[in-house]
Amino acid sequence: MANNIKKIAVMTSGGDSPGMNAAVRSVVRTCAYHKIQCLGIYRGYEGMMDGDFVELDARSVRGIINKGGTFLKSARSNRFRTEEGRKIAHSKLTQAGVDALVVIGGDGTFTGALCFNAEFKFPVIGIPGTIDNDISGTDRTLGYDTALNTAVEAIDKIRDTAHSHDRLFFVEVMGRDVGHIALHAGVGAGAEEILIPEEDMGIERLVESLERSKTSGKTSSIVVVAEGDKIGKSVFELKDYVDENLEEYDVRVSVLGHMQRGGSPSCYDRVLASRMGVKAVESLLAGKSNYMVGTIHDKMSLTPLREAIKGKSKINKELIRVSEIMTT
């Protein structure tokens, strides 16, 4: 391993996801294992420019592996988008004696890291922390498994009410650009229909499907909708359309929203975070930079940050077919 790195900084940025704390813990303890210093950056790139740093050691991250959110906080930063802002950030890191950076986040976080490296040749490694699972180069992003479990649990509870009152529920889950949460949670919760950005079902086909469900004897239904689905302008527009065209349905809407980001991370996400943190630090020590750590077929991998940003995770076509069969 290269021995010119004496201090690594770690930060979380963008939307929070369950497992971020576990990833920070792993980075810190891997640094301790290799006898190098670790610095935590509060509030992402914004805190970097403010010099909002804290020294971290193995004991300072105890008791956080099971905590949701991120104790290092997260913030958007317009200042870091400017050349002047990045110069300030670089100056603050240099003054603090930081030699390399681990960034935990999604597309925006990685884009900032790439730009920072290009301008200052500053070593960076990314850990994909986003519940949407929308980054190429890893089978699962940090927080996705927990978000799925949260969504399924919520849909199960909504179904109890749907069944009790003979209602149709449109349940909106997160997924602005991809439908991973909607597809997996929909299959897992036994939804009657699943609407995702990748498959334009069309409003008429949806109505026909709901009519078939009613004719077959179903008294209640659940339709899981990814927030980025293209059928209507919003899930509430879908509700209004069904109200107008299928009078026999009593329709309700439930938007799960940010509850999917919160909560204690699942065991899977805790283990994934631990593996990613070790891989990130040891990659930097081995002289690697501008990579994102991930898992492919459960093997740790490195993907160039540029490819991770430009790529788009692919929806599981086989699971789409399974969902169609299950809704028969």
PDB file of all heavy atoms in Angstrom, residues 32-59:
ATOM      1  N   ALA A  32      -8.242   3.865  11.468  1.00  0.00           N
ATOM      2  CA  ALA A  32      -7.600   3.531  12.740  1.00  0.00           C
ATOM      3  C   ALA A  32      -6.804   2.231  12.627  1.00  0.00           C
ATOM      4  O   ALA A  32      -5.692   2.109  13.170  1.00  0.00           O
ATOM      5  CB  ALA A  32      -8.652   3.424  13.843  1.00  0.00           C
ATOM      6  N   TYR A  33      -7.380   1.277  11.917  1.00  0.00           N
ATOM      7  CA  TYR A  33      -6.715  -0.014  11.732  1.00  0.00           C
ATOM      8  C   TYR A  33      -5.374   0.151  11.022  1.00  0.00           C
ATOM      9  O   TYR A  33      -4.387  -0.520  11.347  1.00  0.00           O
ATOM     10  CB  TYR A  33      -7.634  -0.937  10.930  1.00  0.00           C
ATOM     11  CG  TYR A  33      -7.054  -2.300  10.624  1.00  0.00           C
ATOM     12  CD1 TYR A  33      -7.122  -3.333  11.557  1.00  0.00           C
ATOM     13  CD2 TYR A  33      -6.446  -2.550   9.399  1.00  0.00           C
ATOM     14  CE1 TYR A  33      -6.584  -4.588  11.279  1.00  0.00           C
ATOM     15  CE2 TYR A  33      -5.907  -3.800   9.109  1.00  0.00           C
ATOM     16  CZ  TYR A  33      -5.985  -4.818  10.045  1.00  0.00           C
ATOM     17  OH  TYR A  33      -5.449  -6.048   9.768  1.00  0.00           O
ATOM     18  N   HIS A  34      -5.351   1.069  10.042  1.00  0.00           N
ATOM     19  CA  HIS A  34      -4.123   1.296   9.274  1.00  0.00           C
ATOM     20  C   HIS A  34      -3.260   2.417   9.864  1.00  0.00           C
ATOM     21  O   HIS A  34      -2.307   2.860   9.229  1.00  0.00           O
ATOM     22  CB  HIS A  34      -4.461   1.604   7.819  1.00  0.00           C
ATOM     23  CG  HIS A  34      -4.976   0.422   7.055  1.00  0.00           C
ATOM     24  ND1 HIS A  34      -4.173  -0.623   6.676  1.00  0.00           N
ATOM     25  CD2 HIS A  34      -6.230   0.110   6.624  1.00  0.00           C
ATOM     26  CE1 HIS A  34      -4.891  -1.538   6.031  1.00  0.00           C
ATOM     27  NE2 HIS A  34      -6.148  -1.112   5.987  1.00  0.00           N
ATOM     28  N   LYS A  35      -3.677   2.872  11.070  1.00  0.00           N
ATOM     29  CA  LYS A  35      -2.903   3.864  11.816  1.00  0.00           C
ATOM     30  C   LYS A  35      -2.718   5.178  11.055  1.00  0.00           C
ATOM     31  O   LYS A  35      -1.616   5.753  10.992  1.00  0.00           O
ATOM     32  CB  LYS A  35      -1.543   3.285  12.228  1.00  0.00           C
ATOM     33  CG  LYS A  35      -1.670   2.125  13.211  1.00  0.00           C
ATOM     34  CD  LYS A  35      -0.318   1.569  13.611  1.00  0.00           C
ATOM     35  CE  LYS A  35      -0.439   0.551  14.732  1.00  0.00           C
ATOM     36  NZ  LYS A  35      -1.412  -0.522  14.461  1.00  0.00           N
ATOM     37  N   ILE A  36      -3.798   5.616  10.443  1.00  0.00           N
ATOM     38  CA  ILE A  36      -3.813   6.949   9.837  1.00  0.00           C
ATOM     39  C   ILE A  36      -4.959   7.741  10.451  1.00  0.00           C
ATOM     40  O   ILE A  36      -5.906   7.175  11.006  1.00  0.00           O
ATOM     41  CB  ILE A  36      -3.943   6.892   8.293  1.00  0.00           C
ATOM     42  CG1 ILE A  36      -5.254   6.220   7.894  1.00  0.00           C
ATOM     43  CG2 ILE A  36      -2.749   6.200   7.671  1.00  0.00           C
ATOM     44  CD1 ILE A  36      -5.497   6.240   6.407  1.00  0.00           C
ATOM     45  N   GLN A  37      -4.884   9.052  10.357  1.00  0.00           N
ATOM     46  CA  GLN A  37      -5.892   9.917  10.959  1.00  0.00           C
ATOM     47  C   GLN A  37      -7.129  10.026  10.076  1.00  0.00           C
ATOM     48  O   GLN A  37      -7.063   9.838   8.855  1.00  0.00           O
ATOM     49  CB  GLN A  37      -5.311  11.313  11.190  1.00  0.00           C
ATOM     50  CG  GLN A  37      -4.224  11.371  12.242  1.00  0.00           C
ATOM     51  CD  GLN A  37      -3.667  12.778  12.367  1.00  0.00           C
ATOM     52  OE1 GLN A  37      -2.871  13.221  11.542  1.00  0.00           O
ATOM     53  NE2 GLN A  37      -4.119  13.496  13.394  1.00  0.00           N
ATOM     54  N   CYS A  38      -8.260  10.351  10.720  1.00  0.00           N
ATOM     55  CA  CYS A  38      -9.501  10.555   9.977  1.00  0.00           C
ATOM     56  C   CYS A  38     -10.180  11.823  10.459  1.00  0.00           C
ATOM     57  O   CYS A  38     -10.248  12.101  11.662  1.00  0.00           O
ATOM     58  CB  CYS A  38     -10.441   9.360  10.158  1.00  0.00           C
ATOM     59  SG  CYS A  38     -11.885   9.419   9.061  1.00  0.00           S
ATOM     60  N   LEU A  39     -10.688  12.580   9.505  1.00  0.00           N
ATOM     61  CA  LEU A  39     -11.365  13.845   9.784  1.00  0.00           C
ATOM     62  C   LEU A  39     -12.786  13.761   9.240  1.00  0.00           C
ATOM     63  O   LEU A  39     -12.991  13.348   8.100  1.00  0.00           O
ATOM     64  CB  LEU A  39     -10.609  14.992   9.097  1.00  0.00           C
ATOM     65  CG  LEU A  39     -10.892  16.422   9.568  1.00  0.00           C
ATOM     66  CD1 LEU A  39     -10.276  16.640  10.939  1.00  0.00           C
ATOM     67  CD2 LEU A  39     -10.300  17.417   8.571  1.00  0.00           C
ATOM     68  N   GLY A  40     -13.757  14.136  10.053  1.00  0.00           N
ATOM     69  CA  GLY A  40     -15.135  14.196   9.581  1.00  0.00           C
ATOM     70  C   GLY A  40     -15.464  15.607   9.122  1.00  0.00           C
ATOM     71  O   GLY A  40     -15.055  16.587   9.761  1.00  0.00           O
ATOM     72  N   ILE A  41     -16.193  15.716   8.019  1.00  0.00           N
ATOM     73  CA  ILE A  41     -16.608  17.020   7.495  1.00  0.00           C
ATOM     74  C   ILE A  41     -18.107  17.156   7.709  1.00  0.00           C
ATOM     75  O   ILE A  41     -18.893  16.348   7.200  1.00  0.00           O
ATOM     76  CB  ILE A  41     -16.286  17.157   5.993  1.00  0.00           C
ATOM     77  CG1 ILE A  41     -14.785  16.967   5.746  1.00  0.00           C
ATOM     78  CG2 ILE A  41     -16.755  18.517   5.464  1.00  0.00           C
ATOM     79  CD1 ILE A  41     -14.421  16.931   4.260  1.00  0.00           C
ATOM     80  N   TYR A  42     -18.521  18.145   8.469  1.00  0.00           N
ATOM     81  CA  TYR A  42     -19.940  18.391   8.686  1.00  0.00           C
ATOM     82  C   TYR A  42     -20.546  19.110   7.468  1.00  0.00           C
ATOM     83  O   TYR A  42     -19.917  19.946   6.852  1.00  0.00           O
ATOM     84  CB  TYR A  42     -20.162  19.257   9.927  1.00  0.00           C
ATOM     85  CG  TYR A  42     -19.961  18.546  11.243  1.00  0.00           C
ATOM     86  CD1 TYR A  42     -18.926  18.910  12.099  1.00  0.00           C
ATOM     87  CD2 TYR A  42     -20.818  17.513  11.636  1.00  0.00           C
ATOM     88  CE1 TYR A  42     -18.749  18.261  13.324  1.00  0.00           C
ATOM     89  CE2 TYR A  42     -20.639  16.863  12.851  1.00  0.00           C
ATOM     90  CZ  TYR A  42     -19.611  17.235  13.682  1.00  0.00           C
ATOM     91  OH  TYR A  42     -19.430  16.594  14.884  1.00  0.00           O
ATOM     92  N   ARG A  43     -21.782  18.749   7.125  1.00  0.00           N
ATOM     93  CA  ARG A  43     -22.589  19.436   6.105  1.00  0.00           C
ATOM     94  C   ARG A  43     -21.989  19.388   4.696  1.00  0.00           C
ATOM     95  O   ARG A  43     -22.115  20.323   3.914  1.00  0.00           O
ATOM     96  CB  ARG A  43     -22.838  20.899   6.509  1.00  0.00           C
ATOM     97  CG  ARG A  43     -23.612  21.048   7.806  1.00  0.00           C
ATOM     98  CD  ARG A  43     -23.822  22.505   8.206  1.00  0.00           C
ATOM     99  NE  ARG A  43     -22.558  23.137   8.521  1.00  0.00           N
ATOM    100  CZ  ARG A  43     -22.006  24.091   7.765  1.00  0.00           C
ATOM    101  NH1 ARG A  43     -22.599  24.514   6.671  1.00  0.00           N
ATOM    102  NH2 ARG A  43     -20.856  24.624   8.120  1.00  0.00           N
ATOM    103  N   GLY A  44     -21.331  18.281   4.363  1.00  0.00           N
ATOM    104  CA  GLY A  44     -20.881  18.072   2.993  1.00  0.00           C
ATOM    105  C   GLY A  44     -19.949  19.149   2.461  1.00  0.00           C
ATOM    106  O   GLY A  44     -19.082  19.661   3.178  1.00  0.00           O
ATOM    107  N   TYR A  45     -20.145  19.484   1.201  1.00  0.00           N
ATOM    108  CA  TYR A  45     -19.268  20.469   0.558  1.00  0.00           C
ATOM    109  C   TYR A  45     -19.395  21.850   1.203  1.00  0.00           C
ATOM    110  O   TYR A  45     -18.425  22.617   1.227  1.00  0.00           O
ATOM    111  CB  TYR A  45     -19.580  20.562  -0.936  1.00  0.00           C
ATOM    112  CG  TYR A  45     -19.187  19.323  -1.703  1.00  0.00           C
ATOM    113  CD1 TYR A  45     -20.135  18.575  -2.407  1.00  0.00           C
ATOM    114  CD2 TYR A  45     -17.868  18.885  -1.729  1.00  0.00           C
ATOM    115  CE1 TYR A  45     -19.779  17.435  -3.117  1.00  0.00           C
ATOM    116  CE2 TYR A  45     -17.493  17.747  -2.433  1.00  0.00           C
ATOM    117  CZ  TYR A  45     -18.458  17.026  -3.119  1.00  0.00           C
ATOM    118  OH  TYR A  45     -18.099  15.890  -3.811  1.00  0.00           O
ATOM    119  N   GLU A  46     -20.568  22.171   1.715  1.00  0.00           N
ATOM    120  CA  GLU A  46     -20.753  23.464   2.372  1.00  0.00           C
ATOM    121  C   GLU A  46     -19.863  23.552   3.608  1.00  0.00           C
ATOM    122  O   GLU A  46     -19.186  24.556   3.841  1.00  0.00           O
ATOM    123  CB  GLU A  46     -22.223  23.647   2.746  1.00  0.00           C
ATOM    124  CG  GLU A  46     -22.589  25.055   3.169  1.00  0.00           C
ATOM    125  CD  GLU A  46     -22.570  26.067   2.038  1.00  0.00           C
ATOM    126  OE1 GLU A  46     -22.490  25.665   0.851  1.00  0.00           O
ATOM    127  OE2 GLU A  46     -22.643  27.273   2.343  1.00  0.00           O
ATOM    128  N   GLY A  47     -19.852  22.477   4.398  1.00  0.00           N
ATOM    129  CA  GLY A  47     -18.994  22.451   5.575  1.00  0.00           C
ATOM    130  C   GLY A  47     -17.520  22.414   5.229  1.00  0.00           C
ATOM    131  O   GLY A  47     -16.673  22.922   5.976  1.00  0.00           O
ATOM    132  N   MET A  48     -17.197  21.814   4.084  1.00  0.00           N
ATOM    133  CA  MET A  48     -15.799  21.782   3.646  1.00  0.00           C
ATOM    134  C   MET A  48     -15.290  23.201   3.427  1.00  0.00           C
ATOM    135  O   MET A  48     -14.169  23.539   3.829  1.00  0.00           O
ATOM    136  CB  MET A  48     -15.676  20.967   2.352  1.00  0.00           C
ATOM    137  CG  MET A  48     -14.248  20.683   1.929  1.00  0.00           C
ATOM    138  SD  MET A  48     -14.141  19.891   0.291  1.00  0.00           S
ATOM    139  CE  MET A  48     -14.974  18.336   0.621  1.00  0.00           C
ATOM    140  N   MET A  49     -16.097  24.039   2.814  1.00  0.00           N
ATOM    141  CA  MET A  49     -15.676  25.414   2.554  1.00  0.00           C
ATOM    142  C   MET A  49     -15.608  26.248   3.830  1.00  0.00           C
ATOM    143  O   MET A  49     -14.868  27.223   3.909  1.00  0.00           O
ATOM    144  CB  MET A  49     -16.628  26.056   1.538  1.00  0.00           C
ATOM    145  CG  MET A  49     -16.496  25.495   0.140  1.00  0.00           C
ATOM    146  SD  MET A  49     -17.641  26.250  -1.042  1.00  0.00           S
ATOM    147  CE  MET A  49     -19.208  25.583  -0.456  1.00  0.00           C
ATOM    148  N   ASP A  50     -16.404  25.855   4.831  1.00  0.00           N
ATOM    149  CA  ASP A  50     -16.394  26.566   6.112  1.00  0.00           C
ATOM    150  C   ASP A  50     -15.348  26.031   7.079  1.00  0.00           C
ATOM    151  O   ASP A  50     -15.177  26.567   8.180  1.00  0.00           O
ATOM    152  CB  ASP A  50     -17.773  26.462   6.779  1.00  0.00           C
ATOM    153  CG  ASP A  50     -18.845  27.234   6.023  1.00  0.00           C
ATOM    154  OD1 ASP A  50     -18.483  28.168   5.272  1.00  0.00           O
ATOM    155  OD2 ASP A  50     -20.038  26.906   6.175  1.00  0.00           O
ATOM    156  N   GLY A  51     -14.656  24.951   6.692  1.00  0.00           N
ATOM    157  CA  GLY A  51     -13.696  24.346   7.605  1.00  0.00           C
ATOM    158  C   GLY A  51     -14.364  23.727   8.812  1.00  0.00           C
ATOM    159  O   GLY A  51     -13.785  23.684   9.910  1.00  0.00           O
ATOM    160  N   ASP A  52     -15.573  23.219   8.620  1.00  0.00           N
ATOM    161  CA  ASP A  52     -16.357  22.636   9.716  1.00  0.00           C
ATOM    162  C   ASP A  52     -15.965  21.165   9.880  1.00  0.00           C
ATOM    163  O   ASP A  52     -16.662  20.253   9.420  1.00  0.00           O
ATOM    164  CB  ASP A  52     -17.851  22.776   9.396  1.00  0.00           C
ATOM    165  CG  ASP A  52     -18.729  22.585  10.621  1.00  0.00           C
ATOM    166  OD1 ASP A  52     -18.173  22.316  11.704  1.00  0.00           O
ATOM    167  OD2 ASP A  52     -19.969  22.701  10.488  1.00  0.00           O
ATOM    168  N   PHE A  53     -14.833  20.942  10.526  1.00  0.00           N
ATOM    169  CA  PHE A  53     -14.241  19.613  10.620  1.00  0.00           C
ATOM    170  C   PHE A  53     -14.230  19.111  12.066  1.00  0.00           C
ATOM    171  O   PHE A  53     -14.260  19.905  13.009  1.00  0.00           O
ATOM    172  CB  PHE A  53     -12.790  19.623  10.108  1.00  0.00           C
ATOM    173  CG  PHE A  53     -12.621  20.176   8.715  1.00  0.00           C
ATOM    174  CD1 PHE A  53     -11.455  20.846   8.368  1.00  0.00           C
ATOM    175  CD2 PHE A  53     -13.615  20.027   7.754  1.00  0.00           C
ATOM    176  CE1 PHE A  53     -11.275  21.355   7.082  1.00  0.00           C
ATOM    177  CE2 PHE A  53     -13.450  20.528   6.472  1.00  0.00           C
ATOM    178  CZ  PHE A  53     -12.284  21.193   6.131  1.00  0.00           C
ATOM    179  N   VAL A  54     -14.146  17.787  12.213  1.00  0.00           N
ATOM    180  CA  VAL A  54     -13.993  17.181  13.531  1.00  0.00           C
ATOM    181  C   VAL A  54     -13.071  15.973  13.412  1.00  0.00           C
ATOM    182  O   VAL A  54     -13.172  15.186  12.470  1.00  0.00           O
ATOM    183  CB  VAL A  54     -15.363  16.756  14.116  1.00  0.00           C
ATOM    184  CG1 VAL A  54     -16.074  15.759  13.208  1.00  0.00           C
ATOM    185  CG2 VAL A  54     -15.209  16.180  15.522  1.00  0.00           C
ATOM    186  N   GLU A  55     -12.147  15.854  14.348  1.00  0.00           N
ATOM    187  CA  GLU A  55     -11.263  14.693  14.381  1.00  0.00           C
ATOM    188  C   GLU A  55     -12.083  13.478  14.841  1.00  0.00           C
ATOM    189  O   GLU A  55     -12.828  13.552  15.812  1.00  0.00           O
ATOM    190  CB  GLU A  55     -10.102  14.924  15.342  1.00  0.00           C
ATOM    191  CG  GLU A  55      -9.135  16.022  14.908  1.00  0.00           C
ATOM    192  CD  GLU A  55      -8.177  15.574  13.800  1.00  0.00           C
ATOM    193  OE1 GLU A  55      -8.146  14.362  13.502  1.00  0.00           O
ATOM    194  OE2 GLU A  55      -7.486  16.444  13.239  1.00  0.00           O
ATOM    195  N   LEU A  56     -11.942  12.364  14.132  1.00  0.00           N
ATOM    196  CA  LEU A  56     -12.683  11.151  14.471  1.00  0.00           C
ATOM    197  C   LEU A  56     -11.709  10.015  14.742  1.00  0.00           C
ATOM    198  O   LEU A  56     -10.713   9.862  14.037  1.00  0.00           O
ATOM    199  CB  LEU A  56     -13.623  10.762  13.323  1.00  0.00           C
ATOM    200  CG  LEU A  56     -14.733  11.755  12.966  1.00  0.00           C
ATOM    201  CD1 LEU A  56     -15.472  11.290  11.710  1.00  0.00           C
ATOM    202  CD2 LEU A  56     -15.708  11.923  14.118  1.00  0.00           C
ATOM    203  N   ASP A  57     -12.027   9.219  15.775  1.00  0.00           N
ATOM    204  CA  ASP A  57     -11.255   8.006  16.026  1.00  0.00           C
ATOM    205  C   ASP A  57     -12.228   6.858  16.245  1.00  0.00           C
ATOM    206  O   ASP A  57     -13.455   7.040  16.192  1.00  0.00           O
ATOM    207  CB  ASP A  57     -10.301   8.173  17.212  1.00  0.00           C
ATOM    208  CG  ASP A  57     -11.017   8.525  18.512  1.00  0.00           C
ATOM    209  OD1 ASP A  57     -12.209   8.174  18.666  1.00  0.00           O
ATOM    210  OD2 ASP A  57     -10.388   9.141  19.380  1.00  0.00           O
ATOM    211  N   ALA A  58     -11.694   5.681  16.483  1.00  0.00           N
ATOM    212  CA  ALA A  58     -12.533   4.480  16.568  1.00  0.00           C
ATOM    213  C   ALA A  58     -13.628   4.609  17.630  1.00  0.00           C
ATOM    214  O   ALA A  58     -14.742   4.110  17.448  1.00  0.00           O
ATOM    215  CB  ALA A  58     -11.657   3.255  16.854  1.00  0.00           C
ATOM    216  N   ARG A  59     -13.325   5.272  18.742  1.00  0.00           N
ATOM    217  CA  ARG A  59     -14.309   5.396  19.820  1.00  0.00           C
ATOM    218  C   ARG A  59     -15.357   6.469  19.527  1.00  0.00           C
ATOM    219  O   ARG A  59     -16.475   6.390  20.033  1.00  0.00           O
ATOM    220  CB  ARG A  59     -13.610   5.727  21.148  1.00  0.00           C
ATOM    221  CG  ARG A  59     -12.601   4.682  21.606  1.00  0.00           C
ATOM    222  CD  ARG A  59     -13.239   3.415  22.181  1.00  0.00           C
ATOM    223  NE  ARG A  59     -13.909   2.577  21.191  1.00  0.00           N
ATOM    224  CZ  ARG A  59     -13.288   1.725  20.387  1.00  0.00           C
ATOM    225  NH1 ARG A  59     -11.971   1.630  20.400  1.00  0.00           N
ATOM    226  NH2 ARG A  59     -13.963   0.979  19.535  1.00  0.00           N
TER     227      ARG A  59
END
